[in-house]
Amino acid sequence: MSRLFLSLAVICFLLTGCATQQILDRVTLFIVCAFDEAQNDQIEITIATTRFQSGKPGSISNQLLSKVGYTSVGIRELLDTRLDRPLNSGKLSVVLIGAELAAKGLRNELDMVLRDAQASRRMYLAVVDGRAQEVLRKNFSSDQEKGLYLFNLLDMNERANLVPKQNLHEFGYAFLGKGMDPLLPMLRAQEDQIYIAGLALFKDDKYVMKLNDKQMRVLKLLKENVKRGAIETKLSNGSHVAAEVIGTKVRYRIEKDKVGSYISLNLHLPARIVDSRSVTLNRSMIEQIEASFEQDLAVSGKDLIHRFQKEGIDPLGLGDFVRSKTRNWNEEKWYREYGSLNVQVNVKMDIEETGITK
């Protein structure tokens, strides 16, 4: 028995000896960094390190460090020369990318992040409508670290079903996978406020088009099941009605008719009315509201898909769906046929609740 305990003690000692210890007080942690295009085919990286003011508990400020270079690794080494403690990316949670750099392609930057063992796969990526560095220069968070504020902004909107799921893992899967293209939330700075202005859509690793907030919600409904979320419609009499969806379901199917094969997107929307000004909610009116929502979403969804086909991008992952149902699926052949593919959007809404008033 004593030999067993001795063996276990030696093994534990050897295992702890293999780990590289890093004391928090001796490294520079940062939660957010920004990538921007620079001159001569270079990139500029800006990081926001956290600084606490002595004698002022809870007082937080950010020190911005920026450097231009040809590679991310080289820039990081240059940034270390300006610090008294080495950089550590273990807490990096948000990466901002300027629109101009994103349009040229993110293959090299993504490769660096995906290979980094310290990089969290829950890390959020976002495209900035403008230069990413300018977001970090805004005074949008006086009582909270900027990186933590941006992480909470993206995380809350994803959990609230306003933004499609898209962290580093999701983006990398769509980027490396076949028959699909990635997307990212787009941030915009206005005075000292930062908000999500829509979605940035990619073809492989290059940003090619953006969607506004309304189009973003339609895409989310067509792409994934949504537990809750608000949508609006305008009735024929000019009145506006808002509804909260309850546990939507979207299903893709390959159908055939006399012309040939097509894809049908079938969206079921259980919902409850949450705002219906100047509208009497009798049975006839509820049916009109359901029909109005169904038509709006079907037309908006169809228009979006036509735009995707025109740009040659597939953020819905229709190619991946067809690949899962087709033997000997060929990616090149798929994209040759994708532009003329017949895609039908079918929406069925069921208003289950109208509130406590009549």
Side-chain angles (χ1 to χ4, degrees):
M1 184 65 69
S2 60
R3 289 184 178 181
L4 176 60
F5 282 117
L6 179 61
S7 300
L8 290 174
V10 171
I11 291 172
C12 292
F13 175 78
L14 292 175
L15 288 176
T16 55
C18 294
T20 302
Q21 294 184 353
Q22 294 194 25
I23 302 174
L24 292 180
D25 290 341
R26 297 180 184 178
V27 296
T28 300
L29 296 173
F30 59 101
I31 299 177
V32 60
C33 71
F35 287 75
D36 284 300
E37 183 186 21
Q39 295 180 348
N40 301 322
D41 201 29
Q42 298 183 93
I43 59 173
E44 181 176 15
I45 296 181
T46 304
I47 65 172
T49 63
T50 307
R51 302 184 70 86
F52 300 91
Q53 298 183 23
S54 59
K56 297 181 179 180
S59 180
I60 300 174
S61 63
N62 287 106
Q63 177 188 14
L64 299 186
L65 298 174
S66 183
K67 205 67 181 175
V68 175
Y70 289 99
T71 67
S72 304
V73 176
I75 294 174
R76 179 170 174 170
E77 290 185 351
L78 290 173
L79 288 172
D80 273 334
T81 64
R82 303 172 61 181
L83 295 166
D84 59 346
R85 296 172 296 176
L87 286 172
N88 185 293
S89 59
K91 292 289 288 182
L92 180 60
S93 302
V94 179
V95 174
L96 305 179
I97 305 155
E100 291 186 2
L101 179 62
K104 287 192 171 183
L106 303 177
R107 188 175 301 273
N108 293 333
E109 287 71 28
L110 285 173
D111 183 70
M112 179 202 71
V113 177
L114 290 170
R115 290 176 183 272
D116 189 352
Q118 290 184 331
S120 169
R121 291 307 183 258
R122 290 192 65 243
M123 178 193 307
Y124 285 111
L125 310 177
V127 174
V128 175
D129 190 8
R131 289 187 63 80
Q133 182 188 93
E134 293 305 313
V135 168
L136 298 184
R137 294 190 181 280
K138 298 291 184 179
N139 185 28
F140 57 85
S141 175
S142 58
D143 60 346
Q144 192 177 27
E145 204 277 335
K146 289 183 177 180
L148 184 59
Y149 178 93
L150 291 171
F151 177 85
N152 289 335
L153 172 70
L154 295 167
D155 188 63
M156 185 277 292
N157 278 274
E158 180 186 294
R159 292 177 183 275
N161 295 288
L162 299 177
V163 179
K165 296 178 181 179
Q166 202 60 222
N167 52 28
L168 177 61
H169 172 75
E170 299 280 352
F171 187 91
Y173 179 79
F175 167 59
L176 298 173
K178 296 182 178 181
M180 64 184 85
D181 288 300
L183 52 86
L184 289 176
M186 173 164 278
L187 299 181
R188 185 173 295 160
Q190 186 174 12
E191 296 179 353
D192 285 335
Q193 291 187 336
I194 308 298
Y195 64 97
I196 299 175
L199 285 180
L201 305 184
F202 286 73
K203 183 176 179 62
D204 294 327
D205 66 324
K206 295 181 180 180
Y207 160 56
V208 293
M209 65 176 289
K210 63 181 176 182
L211 303 181
N212 60 33
D213 55 350
K214 182 178 180 180
Q215 294 168 329
M216 173 178 67
R217 294 182 185 185
V218 174
L219 182 143
K220 183 174 177 66
L221 289 171
L222 296 179
K223 184 177 176 65
E224 58 194 51
N225 296 336
V226 176
K227 292 182 179 179
R228 65 182 186 278
I231 53 176
E232 297 181 356
T233 188
K234 183 179 180 180
L235 304 180
S236 57
N237 62 5
S239 300
H240 288 79
V241 176
E244 182 181 15
V245 299
I246 312 168
T248 71
K249 292 183 179 181
V250 60
R251 296 290 183 268
Y252 299 174
R253 295 179 63 89
I254 299 177
E255 308 280 3
K256 290 185 178 182
D257 57 16
K258 295 180 180 180
V259 178
S261 299
Y262 66 94
I263 296 178
S264 65
L265 274 64
N266 304 295
L267 174 61
H268 180 221
L269 284 165
R272 57 172 167 263
I273 301 295
V274 292
D275 192 341
S276 56
R277 302 176 187 177
S278 305
V279 174
T280 302
L281 294 176
N282 52 38
R283 185 64 249 175
S284 175
M285 179 55 66
I286 290 176
E287 290 176 355
Q288 291 182 43
I289 293 172
E290 290 174 339
S292 180
F293 273 113
E294 290 170 357
Q295 182 178 12
D296 283 353
L297 290 172
V299 171
S300 298
K302 190 73 173 178
D303 288 344
L304 278 182
I305 292 171
H306 282 322
R307 292 186 63 188
F308 299 158
Q309 291 175 312
K310 185 177 179 180
E311 293 288 344
I313 60 176
D314 190 4
L316 292 175
L318 298 180
D320 182 57
F321 166 73
V322 174
R323 180 188 61 81
S324 68
K325 304 292 183 180
T326 307
R327 287 188 177 182
N328 302 319
W329 180 84
N330 183 278
E331 187 174 22
E332 293 183 2
K333 181 182 177 182
W334 161 256
Y335 278 109
R336 286 197 303 267
E337 300 174 349
Y338 175 64
S340 58
L341 180 69
N342 183 11
V343 182
Q344 299 294 324
V345 178
N346 307 308
V347 182
K348 180 66 173 70
M349 186 178 202
D350 291 319
I351 295 178
E352 300 179 351
E353 299 179 28
T354 59
I356 59 175
T357 61
K358 298 291 186 181

